[in-house]
Amino acid sequence: MPENPTLSTTSTAPTTTDAAPAPTPPTPSSPTGPTGPTRPTGPTGPTGPTGAVVPTETGVPVPGGPAIRFEWHTGDWFDVFEKHVALIQSDIARAQAEDRVVVYLSCPITSRGGGHFRTNTEIANFVTRRLASEWGERFFVVNPAAYQLESKEGTGLVARHIEALSRETGRPLSLKALMDTARPTGGDYMRMWTRVLAEDHYLTDPPGGRSSRQKLQLGGLFDAFYFLGPDDVHGFFRADSGGGGALVAAVESYFARRYAVDPDFWTDYGTVPDGPEGGRRTLDLTDPDDAAIWEARRKEFVRFYTVRAGGSYSLGCHDEWNIFVRLNRARAGHPAYGPGELIAAYYGGRARSMAESEMETSPGYEVKEKTA
């Protein structure tokens, strides 16, 4: 999940140069920008942007649920994410009350490997709308992009939680102050999503006197996981370009347009860090070194969304696949479920086979137990 979306100046770079640099746009509207999982480690925990030691905890998010461990922040961020879990679960409870089929969309959000957090959010929203159109309104898709700081919607929700926490504690809290102290990491988000995916204390039991499924921590609210694949990503870019032409042309056209009109996008691709206080300098495309940096970034973007797109390149998606496998493994042997009540899995629109659905993948943010 969140990683630092500010692109490195050492990235490899663009294949084409048809997009001219846009004039300096207004300051990006998001107060947070990208967040990142890679943190320097202090004596008792990771250090935040201010250099202060930020306490963390490592553990299993759902005792009795999937045996998966993450590291997350304690303190105010922990309390904020607790409120966020409650909000997401209330959305799912409402869908359950409406007798809808609940599907979890596992999708890349952050800027790993050449992608861009804003683009990934647009793709996730596009796939959510497409599933609603193709599968029908009875399906309720839980879209993580709507809840994380990488989206404007997610930022607004988190800011509301912080305001509520400030009122409850009587302390002057703000999103900016919390971000200056420590940015949420992949472990923070994965603790949250593991709770959302596994906890079932608010599940309505099935009719007919069958065994209760409440509090089994077996993901009883979810009927399917949909893992975003390359075909979903390519469908977004083809639709964005009007549906015709080559894929690479569609991705390049999107890049050029976003670079011209989106302040966050322009900042990430058209500037570099400059100065100790978080300042940034506009790339001068008449300078060979700056032009090479810009070209490298554009090439990485085009390469990522043409040949690498999808959940296979997301650390969070790796963890969510393993959560899915472990939930089904536990369901298969539980008398309240059994093999006929496993969670369905789709990747890029295609149902996964029995063998695929029982195999784990490499971990993402999961903290593995150390062995002697």
Side-chain angles (χ1 to χ4, degrees), residues 9-354:
T9 59
T10 57
S11 315
T12 15
T15 48
T16 60
T17 57
D18 56 323
T24 303
T27 303
S29 56
S30 168
T32 65
T35 58
T38 303
R39 311 179 306 283
T41 302
T44 60
T47 57
T50 61
V53 174
V54 181
T56 62
E57 178 182 347
T58 300
V60 176
V62 183
I68 190 166
R69 299 169 71 245
F70 298 106
E71 180 186 12
W72 57 80
H73 287 106
T74 58
D76 291 330
W77 271 125
F78 181 90
D79 294 336
V80 169
F81 275 99
E82 288 294 280
K83 291 181 178 296
H84 217 29
V85 169
L87 170 69
I88 300 169
Q89 289 182 337
S90 71
D91 290 344
I92 297 170
R94 186 163 53 251
Q96 178 187 220
E98 295 169 352
D99 198 26
R100 299 173 75 181
V101 180
V102 181
V103 180
Y104 180 72
L105 175 65
S106 181
C107 55
I109 298 178
T110 55
S111 302
R112 170 172 292 274
H116 190 261
F117 70 101
R118 188 76 76 215
T119 303
N120 288 338
T121 297
E122 290 182 25
I123 293 169
N125 292 339
F126 168 81
V127 173
T128 299
R129 292 191 301 270
R130 196 201 75 211
L131 291 178
S133 174
E134 293 180 358
W135 291 13
E137 292 298 330
R138 185 168 290 279
F139 286 84
F140 177 75
V141 179
V142 178
N143 175 11
Y147 298 100
Q148 295 200 187
L149 282 168
E150 285 77 9
S151 70
K152 293 179 180 179
E153 304 97 313
T155 298
L157 293 173
V158 171
R160 280 171 44 195
H161 299 325
I162 294 172
E163 291 172 4
L165 185 62
S166 180
R167 290 193 299 271
E168 293 166 8
T169 62
R171 293 185 293 120
L173 300 174
S174 68
L175 177 57
K176 182 181 185 305
L178 263 62
M179 293 290 284
D180 286 344
T181 302
R183 293 174 178 271
T185 66
D188 289 304
Y189 281 107
M190 287 313 305
R191 185 188 77 84
M192 177 182 78
W193 288 118
T194 304
R195 286 195 57 197
V196 169
L197 293 171
E199 290 183 352
D200 46 21
H201 57 278
Y202 58 107
L203 173 68
T204 301
D205 279 330
R210 289 185 285 173
S211 299
S212 174
R213 295 177 178 177
Q214 288 186 357
K215 300 182 181 179
L216 298 179
Q217 319 295 33
L218 295 179
L221 276 299
F222 288 88
D223 300 286
F225 281 33
Y226 187 105
F227 295 88
L228 191 138
D231 288 349
D232 298 308
V233 177
H234 298 167
F236 164 79
F237 284 104
R238 291 190 186 283
D240 183 75
S241 67
L247 174 63
V248 69
V251 175
E252 289 173 344
S253 174
Y254 173 94
F255 182 97
R257 187 170 62 259
R258 275 292 172 209
Y259 188 82
V261 301
D262 186 324
D264 290 314
F265 198 94
W266 179 89
T267 297
D268 285 339
Y269 287 93
T271 68
V272 291
D274 184 37
E277 301 300 322
R280 298 188 72 82
R281 172 180 67 82
T282 301
L283 289 172
D284 178 5
L285 298 191
T286 64
D287 177 88
D289 291 338
D290 279 4
I293 292 169
W294 189 86
E295 277 292 315
R297 292 173 172 181
R298 186 162 178 265
K299 179 179 180 180
E300 281 296 296
F301 183 93
V302 172
R303 181 170 67 171
F304 180 82
Y305 287 112
T306 53
V307 299
R308 287 183 176 176
S312 296
Y313 300 91
S314 162
L315 295 180
C317 290
H318 278 230
D319 287 326
E320 286 162 357
W321 177 270
N322 291 338
I323 290 169
F324 153 75
V325 171
R326 294 171 198 182
L327 285 173
N328 269 352
R329 191 180 295 150
R331 279 191 180 203
H334 199 285
Y337 285 95
E341 293 286 345
L342 302 185
I343 304 169
Y346 292 81
Y347 182 83
R350 296 186 177 89
R352 299 295 90 187
S353 69
M354 289 184 289

